[in-house]
Amino acid sequence: MLIAKNLTKIYNNGVVALDQVSLTVQKGEFVFLVGPSGAGKTTFLNLVIRQEVPSSGLIAVNRQNLAHLKKKEIAFLRRNIGVIFQDYKLLPQKTVYENVAFALEVIEAKARSIKPRVYEVLELVGLLNKANLLPSELSGGEQQRVCLARALVNRPLLLLADEPTGNLDPDTSWGIMELLREVNKRGTTIVMATHNQQIVDRMRRRVIALDRGKLVRDTPKGGYTLET
Amino acid sequence: MKPRTFFYFLREALHGLVRNRVMTLTALGIITIGLFLFGLFFLLTANLHHLTALAWEEVEIRVFLEPTVTNPEKIGAELAALPGVKKVKYVSKAEGAAALEKMLGNRNLFLDGENPLPAAFNLSLQEAADLPTLVRMAEAIPGVEEVVYKQDFVKFLEIAIRIIIICGLALLFLTGFAVLYIIINTIQLTVYARRQEIEIMKLVGATDAFVRWPFVLEGIILGLLGAGLALLILREGYSFLVHRIQFYRRFFPILSGPELEFKLMVVLLGMGLFFGGLGSHVSLKRHLKV
Ligand SMILES: Nc1ncnc2c1ncn2[C@@H]1O[C@H](COP(=O)(O)OP(=O)(O)OP(=O)(O)O)[C@@H](O)[C@H]1O
Ligand SMILES: [Mg+2]
């Protein structure tokens, strides 16, 4: 599903955000990407959706080498990847419904399919009754769920979640994690960047740890820190 | 493009215009002023051009015939066929004499049968005729004695036309660029206001073309609205002016009529459309790199 080989990203300002990272994620996996702030987690996810290009090394999604994509192919690649952004990226002047439907409208999905799809994912994330509210009228956890709904609305093969429990209290965080677990059970591959130790420790999934751009650990069913 | 998609673009474009009302109105005002100036220069150039065309008609060329000529009709036909000739008027010996007598105020300048004046043709010219060539060709016609014209006046006109055309074009380009600049900046504001939307569109997999269209439409709508307003002001103002100087029309042969209005309309709307679309295109270029 996802292959990185010697993946390196050096930003224009000279920061080495990723340094020779190699890893493979299989279809259907649920992977935690952990590491301290600045470790390069977001950078990695940005490379996966081709928002950034590698300085060297290779990255492939669905057996497609991202280095050779044309502009249009980048667009189509992104239609197969759902992303929960660290900063939500919801449009403040659009309602919950509109924010989610937006993701389908702009890829020219069939008009008839939009409404049922949007309601389906809003029901999944438990926001049916808030469909007509603006993001500013929602709590942080609810905004996070809108973001999840938008990421899922096009039935992506791969879901990237960047700190989906970032500023949420433990209960709300667990609500989100339940949803992600459910989505994963239905077959979507998930890569989740986080530094929420509690969650990683309790979920017992594969953990990939980055530190200052280097891959320092890759354990199946691991914890946040290396256990003795 | 599916009709539904087009309406989506149109709705988004109108949405953008309505949402940023203050910006839209400001831009519209500036575009209108720009296109108004453009139209003004256009009318000015058209009128100056018209003036020189009228002046050309005043340029008279006299073609004197040899006294032995017996078939002036044939020569007249040949003259009329020369490139650049608009009208040919035959002036017989007697008519020539009468004209001269009238000019000098002497009714009996010549005795009958003693008229030394040659028969002649007066040619009036089409605008921008190639005079030297014309004169050479006329002189080559058998039976033609001499070709006479007011050389200085013609030279002056030729230079005047050239200057007017160059100035007119320069002014048109200048205003054109100004309008383009204004539209680019305006759409840039709109694009900037909606950069978040653009970013999200691109991140969820919208194609560049899809992202671009609403903005291009927005630019086109702005351009056309501005052109429409400018057109309205120009038309009203111009017909008012024409009306006011109606009396002096003889001295001020100002252009008017549906043909001019149509030309102005095509030029302004075309400008609005072109620069509106192009402006959006340019403004978006940078923002599509997500
Ligand atoms: N667009 C950019 N330009 C330059 N440097 C950047 C850019 N984005 C990130 N960086 C730098 O790259 C490094 C890795 O950043 P990244 O955002 O990937 O970290 P992260 O692991 O996601 O951190 P966090 O947990 O705080 O989100 C940091 O040092 C950061 O300053
Ligand atoms: Mg990050």
Side-chain angles (χ1 to χ4, degrees), chain A residues 23-26 28-34 159 161 184 189-194 205-208 218:
Chain A
L23 58 87
T24 303
V25 176
Q26 304 293 342
E29 267 192 287
F30 192 131
V31 180
F32 284 114
L33 197 57
V34 304
L159 180 69
N184 179 239
T189 311
I190 296 181
V191 177
M192 171 172 158
T194 183
R205 300 293 179 123
R206 177 176 171 193
V207 175
I208 295 172
D218 187 347

Side-chain angles (χ1 to χ4, degrees), chain B residues 72-92:
Chain B
E73 305 81 18
K74 188 166 164 278
I75 295 176
E78 278 181 67
L79 285 171
L82 291 178
V85 173
K86 194 159 141 194
K87 251 191 301 184
V88 176
K89 188 168 162 263
Y90 182 63
V91 185
S92 68

Side-chain angles (χ1 to χ4, degrees), chain A residues 71 78-79 89 102 109, chain B residues 4 199-202 205 208:
Chain A
K71 282 192 137 193
R78 289 174 181 169
R79 294 178 188 193
K89 293 196 197 294
F102 187 67
Chain B
R4 181 173 71 85
E199 188 198 359
I200 294 171
M201 283 169 106
K202 293 234 50 190
D208 282 0

Side-chain angles (χ1 to χ4, degrees), chain A residues 9-18 33-46 52 86 162-163 193-195 210 212-213:
Chain A
K9 176 67 187 180
I10 304 168
Y11 283 109
N12 286 335
N13 57 6
V15 174
V16 182
L18 284 179
L33 197 57
V34 304
S37 190
K41 304 182 294 292
T42 300
T43 300
F44 181 78
L45 299 182
N46 284 342
E52 296 285 351
Q86 194 163 8
D162 199 352
E163 299 284 359
T194 183
H195 24 213
L210 293 175
R212 273 159 287 169

Side-chain angles (χ1 to χ4, degrees), chain B residues 220-273:
Chain B
I220 287 176
I221 291 172
L222 263 181
L224 287 183
L225 275 180
L229 280 177
L231 204 60
L232 207 71
I233 299 170
L234 278 171
R235 230 184 57 171
E236 292 307 309
Y238 194 71
S239 65
F240 177 74
L241 184 75
V242 169
H243 190 73
R244 279 303 288 272
I245 65 171
Q246 191 79 325
F247 180 71
Y248 308 100
R249 202 82 185 265
R250 255 183 315 152
F251 315 107
F252 258 123
I254 193 167
L255 270 177
S256 64
E259 195 192 340
L260 181 72
E261 267 179 32
F262 181 73
K263 266 191 205 157
L264 187 67
M265 189 174 83
V266 169
V267 166
L268 285 192
L269 290 181
M271 289 262 305
L273 186 86

Side-chain angles (χ1 to χ4, degrees), chain A residues 30 148 159 176-184 190 192:
Chain A
F30 192 131
L148 174 61
L159 180 69
I176 296 279
M177 289 318 295
E178 283 303 324
L179 284 171
L180 289 182
R181 188 147 49 181
E182 178 63 27
V183 168
N184 179 239
I190 296 181
M192 171 172 158

Side-chain angles (χ1 to χ4, degrees), chain B residues 81 87 108-109 132 166 212 246 279 282:
Chain B
K87 251 191 301 184
N108 295 302
L109 205 56
I166 290 171
R212 192 181 281 127
Q246 191 79 325
V282 174

